[in-house]
């Protein structure tokens, strides 16, 4: 036991020494375009609050009245006595929104992905997964016995080679994030569906960073790519654009969802979504389905930010998504830029190795419909002044 405790201390100290420890910003307000941080109001550019619904009055009101009508919790899993009519309604409304046959709710998208693959695939099958897929997909795949293949991110020649390598398998499943969170890149879904069709594979897309705001009606990357009827399985989260509380889902063909309800372990053995979260998510989905105002605002903010930052000479990963990586390369400089921006009243996060490749440290800016034009301009000015400060200290040091 002595060694055990000492080993853990050593591990933490090593992490601290290499600058790998993650700290947490203690927020003393609700989530929004601004948050309170250490008695200061700062602009927030690092939440997944794409549509600004995390503290939207309509969503909050729905969750509040749900406490009175439906109670705080259900103290049960879904199949024992944990399914209210509103859980059923949320699943139906998600199916209608995503234009799928059926949907099954989970406590999180992490759980949804964790409980998916094992139900559909065993040692006779093969799964072919993009190398940059989310951690929950990687873990979910680890839990199944299928043969595992990884292809270079968004590389269709490599995907085809891997598909060829597993033609003998009973079932083949190609798995991809709809949007890759560190770059804001979209998966080439039309080409993926073409290849999957050619090699008799099914397609699964995790659309957590797209559901609610990508595509003409916000239904996500399959809608944008025009392949809604060719994607077999969709997963997603209620914890980002769709209200931002928590919860996830798998949506797709009725038989797949029916099987998950019988066999998926995180669904069977973990508590049902709390009533206020279900009601708030229903309200969020109602807002998304009835108006494109928030989507329009979000697109406009992303466009404005990209335009102003490019004009100021910053190196952005090109794209249209509200995830906008501002590249600095060096991890220490990137960290100092983020710190200087916080001094200016703008909260952003620096990402460096091992979260992104070595030498590709960046600040990942995330726009929200809650931001105003003025907020976006303040953010850009903070980047400019932080760059000036950091370059100034480097020159002095040199
Ligand atoms: C955020 C995210 C998840 C996890 O969602 P939770 O509902 O918070 O568990 C899963 N997959 C992807 C691609 C994500 O971006």
């Amino acid at each position: 036991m002595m060694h055990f405790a000492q080993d853990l201390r050593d591990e933490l100290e090593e992490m601290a020494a290499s600058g790998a420890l993650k700290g947490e910003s203690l927020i003393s307000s609700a989530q929004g375009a601004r948050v309170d941080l250490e008695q200061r109001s700062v602009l927030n550019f690092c939440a997944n609050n794409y549509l600004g619904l995390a503290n939207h009055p309509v969503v909050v009101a729905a969750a509040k009245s749900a406490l009175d009508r439906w109670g705080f919790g259900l103290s049960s899993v879904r199949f024992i006595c944990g399914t209210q009519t509103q859980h059923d309604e949320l699943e139906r409304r998600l199916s209608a929104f995503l234009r799928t046959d059926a949907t099954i709710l989970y406590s999180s998208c992490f759980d949804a992905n964790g409980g998916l693959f094992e139900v559909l695939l065993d040692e006779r099958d093969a799964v072919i997964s993009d190398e940059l897929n989310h951690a929950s997909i990687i873990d979910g795949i680890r839990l199944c016995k299928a043969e595992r293949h990884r292809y270079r991110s968004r590389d269709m020649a490599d995907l085809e080679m891997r598909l060829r390598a597993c033609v003998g398998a009973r079932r083949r499943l190609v798995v991809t994030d709809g949007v890759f969170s560190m770059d804001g890149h979209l998966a080439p879904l039309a080409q993926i569906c073409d290849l999957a069709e050619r090699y008799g594979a099914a397609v699964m897309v995790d659309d957590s960073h797209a559901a609610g705001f990508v595509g003409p009606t916000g239904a996500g990357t399959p809608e944008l790519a025009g392949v809604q009827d060719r994607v077999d399985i969709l997963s997603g989260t209620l914890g980002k654009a769709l209200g931002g509380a928590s919860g996830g889902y798998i949506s797709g063909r009725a038989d797949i969802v029916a099987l998950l309800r019988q066999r998926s372990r995180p669904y069977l053995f973990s508590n049902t979504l709390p009533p206020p979260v279900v009601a708030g998510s229903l309200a969020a989905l109602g807002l998304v389905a009835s108006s494109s105002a928030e989507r329009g605002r979000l697109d406009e903010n992303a466009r404005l930010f990209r335009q102003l930052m490019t004009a100021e000479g910053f190196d952005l990963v090109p794209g249209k998504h509200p995830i906008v990586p501002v590249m600095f390369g060096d991890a220490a400089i990137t960290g100092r830029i983020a710190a200087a921006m916080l001094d200016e009243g703008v909260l952003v996060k620096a990402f460096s190795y091992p979260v992104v490749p070595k030498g590709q440290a960046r600040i990942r800016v995330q726009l929200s419909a809650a931001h105003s034009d003025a907020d976006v301009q303040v953010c850009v000015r903070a980047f400019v002044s932080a760059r000036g400060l950091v370059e100034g200290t480097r020159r002095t040091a040199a």
Side-chain angles (χ1 to χ4, degrees), residues 138-190:
I138 296 169
D139 286 10
I141 289 175
R142 277 187 191 143
L143 290 171
C144 82
K145 297 200 170 69
E147 205 182 281
R148 296 169 208 165
H149 300 263
R150 262 190 347 165
Y151 64 97
R152 279 197 300 278
S153 190
R154 302 180 300 134
D155 182 331
M156 293 299 97
D158 198 32
L159 171 59
E160 179 159 22
M161 205 174 80
R162 313 278 164 188
L163 278 164
R164 271 209 207 101
C166 54
V167 283
R170 176 188 64 166
R171 298 174 185 162
R172 285 167 291 283
L173 179 62
V174 179
V175 181
T176 185
D177 281 7
V179 175
F180 294 93
S181 66
M182 282 301 140
D183 301 293
H185 285 145
L186 272 61
L189 291 187

Side-chain angles (χ1 to χ4, degrees), residues 48 106-113 133-137 176-181 206-209 235-240 245-249:
N48 301 307
Y106 288 81
S107 303
S108 66
C109 186
F110 204 105
D111 273 353
N113 290 336
N133 279 342
H134 190 262
S136 55
I137 291 178
T176 185
D177 281 7
V179 175
F180 294 93
S181 66
D206 177 344
D207 229 12
S208 289
H209 280 286
S235 70
T237 183
L238 303 173
K240 291 183 172 124
S246 66
Y249 57 83

Side-chain angles (χ1 to χ4, degrees), residues 180-204:
F180 294 93
S181 66
M182 282 301 140
D183 301 293
H185 285 145
L186 272 61
L189 291 187
Q191 291 163 273
I192 289 175
C193 289
D194 286 347
L195 280 176
E197 225 159 74
R198 191 171 318 148
Y199 291 91
V203 175
M204 183 269 188

Side-chain angles (χ1 to χ4, degrees), residues 313-356:
F314 286 96
D315 177 14
L316 309 183
V317 175
K320 288 195 168 144
H321 195 272
I323 290 174
V324 187
V326 184
M327 306 301 289
F328 293 96
D330 180 81
I333 289 175
T334 311
R336 276 156 57 206
I337 297 263
M341 287 182 67
L342 188 56
D343 289 341
E344 301 267 322
V346 175
L347 178 63
V348 290
K349 288 280 164 184
F351 291 88
S352 55
Y353 183 80
V355 180
V356 295

